[in-house]
Amino acid sequence: MVEHSARAIVPKSFAVWLVVLLVSLGCVQAQTPTPPVPAFDGASALEHVRKLVAIGPRVAGTPGATKARDYITAQMKALGLTVDEQAFEAATPAGPTKMVNLRVAIPGGDGRSQAPSTGSGQGRLIIAGHYDTKRFREFTFVGANDGGSSTAFLIELARVLKVRTNALPIEILFLDGEEAVVEWQGTDHTYGSRHYVDAARKAGTLGHIRALVLVDMIGDRDLRISRESNSTPWLTDIIWTTAKRLKRPEFLERETPIEDDHLRFLEAGVPAVDIIDLDYPAWHTADDTLDKVSAESLQVVGDVLLAALPDIEKRLVKP
Ligand SMILES: [Zn+2]
């Protein structure tokens, strides 16, 4: 009797245990189909700035620029992303100069990658920055913040966006030739963005560019980003409202007009915003070195942009 009862109880409790196990396994499975999106890592971004500065000057059309492209390409490859080179010859006051924009396509939520040169009806969001540094003959200019911070930021952002569920395809665009070859006047500046927009216009694909977010000089330790007054108001508003929500005092309410790569897109009718801190004493001097840039500043811009992205996507994706 005791023995019989014992035998009857053991299989019953085993069955209960099995059901509990299967149910809990099911729960675990149901909760883990998508890995969590990693946060933007300002320290990693600063490491990329360090590597870029170690290359030295990265002036358009020089071996330094080629080395910068090699570094970016290696980083993208390590993430499993493909770099599409958009090479062109720019007519500059110093003569024809070979320049190259780098385009990296990150798929939208449906998982289908959009080829950079084509484009779906849904279009794409471009997040861009320049990787060239300004040429100075009198001193060595390594552009830690001006050229370095935007490049490093985009490399780190690509790592996050690669695993994020993006509402529409995102193109990470590393622009060449933002800096003037001689002096910022006429067309002696923004060569990469001008070529990019012209190429899209000629290909009839301008309409596929839904919006542009430009970052430039976002690594200054003393980060103070004013609203850029040429930028598209709704894009600026989303980013500054997000910064306010995240309690980031680095995004100031004051407004300043700044000429940058985003103007070429705005002229073509593409909504665009420039996130730039031109309030930088080391700007275009030999002092634009690694010690002026901080992981914290890169982190702030990364956090704000990633938090603003869902609202930007909502505006761009038609239901
Ligand atoms: Zn500059």
Side-chain angles (χ1 to χ4, degrees):
M1 189 65 183
V2 170
E3 200 187 352
H4 175 82
S5 299
R7 255 198 254 150
I9 287 163
V10 169
K12 196 178 166 194
S13 59
F14 177 74
V16 169
W17 176 82
L18 191 67
V19 166
V20 168
L21 177 75
L22 287 172
V23 166
S24 55
L25 274 176
C27 286
V28 169
Q29 253 180 352
Q31 281 168 359
T32 55
T34 43
V37 176
F40 186 94
D41 184 357
S44 291
L46 184 64
E47 254 329 285
H48 294 309
V49 179
R50 189 189 310 279
K51 299 276 172 48
L52 290 158
V53 164
I55 292 170
R58 303 169 305 279
V59 176
T62 69
T66 307
K67 282 183 192 164
R69 281 196 297 279
D70 289 347
Y71 181 72
I72 296 165
T73 303
Q75 293 300 315
M76 293 301 105
K77 265 191 185 158
L79 293 171
L81 293 167
T82 307
V83 174
D84 178 50
E85 294 201 353
Q86 184 182 45
F88 61 101
E89 197 168 75
T92 82
T97 304
K98 283 191 163 51
M99 298 189 188
V100 186
N101 295 326
L102 300 180
R103 312 171 65 184
V104 180
I106 299 177
D110 60 1
R112 281 172 299 168
S113 179
Q114 179 200 28
S117 56
T118 58
S120 65
Q122 193 183 28
R124 66 184 183 278
L125 167 68
I126 298 178
I127 304 179
H130 76 93
Y131 73 88
D132 63 307
T133 56
K134 185 163 167 53
R135 180 196 299 269
F136 289 98
R137 299 194 187 281
E138 324 76 69
F139 56 87
T140 303
F141 180 74
V142 296
N145 192 26
D146 193 0
S149 67
S150 43
T151 312
F153 179 88
L154 293 179
I155 293 171
E156 170 56 11
L157 190 68
R159 184 184 69 83
V160 177
L161 295 180
K162 169 82 177 6
V163 288
R164 179 181 181 270
T165 303
N166 306 305
L168 77 166
I170 297 178
E171 181 180 323
I172 301 287
L173 174 60
F174 298 88
L175 291 164
D176 201 353
E178 184 267 347
E179 299 288 0
V181 171
V182 177
E183 201 182 334
W184 191 287
Q185 57 179 23
T187 55
D188 185 16
H189 50 75
T190 57
Y191 292 97
S193 51
R194 190 176 301 112
H195 176 79
Y196 187 97
V197 169
D198 284 350
R201 192 183 285 113
K202 278 178 197 151
T205 57
L206 209 47
H208 298 160
I209 308 170
R210 303 296 311 279
L212 169 91
V213 174
L214 183 70
V215 291
D216 195 2
M217 299 174 64
I218 34 95
D220 182 5
R221 279 181 182 280
D222 181 19
L223 191 66
R224 275 176 289 186
I225 307 176
S226 299
R227 287 171 176 263
E228 194 288 309
S229 52
N230 298 304
S231 299
T232 306
W234 70 259
L235 260 173
T236 309
D237 286 345
I238 287 177
I239 292 166
W240 262 254
T241 302
T242 306
K244 207 171 206 174
R245 176 160 56 82
L246 298 185
K247 300 187 169 56
R248 296 314 326 186
E250 296 86 353
F251 285 73
L252 311 176
E253 283 306 318
R254 71 177 184 208
E255 219 175 44
T256 320
I258 294 169
E259 292 183 21
D260 208 343
D261 281 312
H262 65 312
L263 295 189
R264 308 289 81 83
F265 289 82
L266 285 167
E267 287 158 1
V270 177
V273 60
D274 191 10
I275 303 174
I276 180 169
D277 173 11
L278 200 50
D279 186 0
Y280 182 57
W283 180 59
H284 287 185
T285 74
D287 292 334
D288 187 359
T289 45
L290 188 63
D291 54 301
K292 310 298 184 309
V293 174
S294 78
E296 290 73 21
S297 295
L298 294 160
Q299 183 75 52
V300 165
V301 179
D303 288 345
V304 168
L305 181 53
L306 281 167
L309 216 42
D311 286 336
I312 295 172
E313 287 172 322
K314 240 177 258 168
R315 278 290 295 243
L316 300 178
V317 177
K318 300 262 158 62

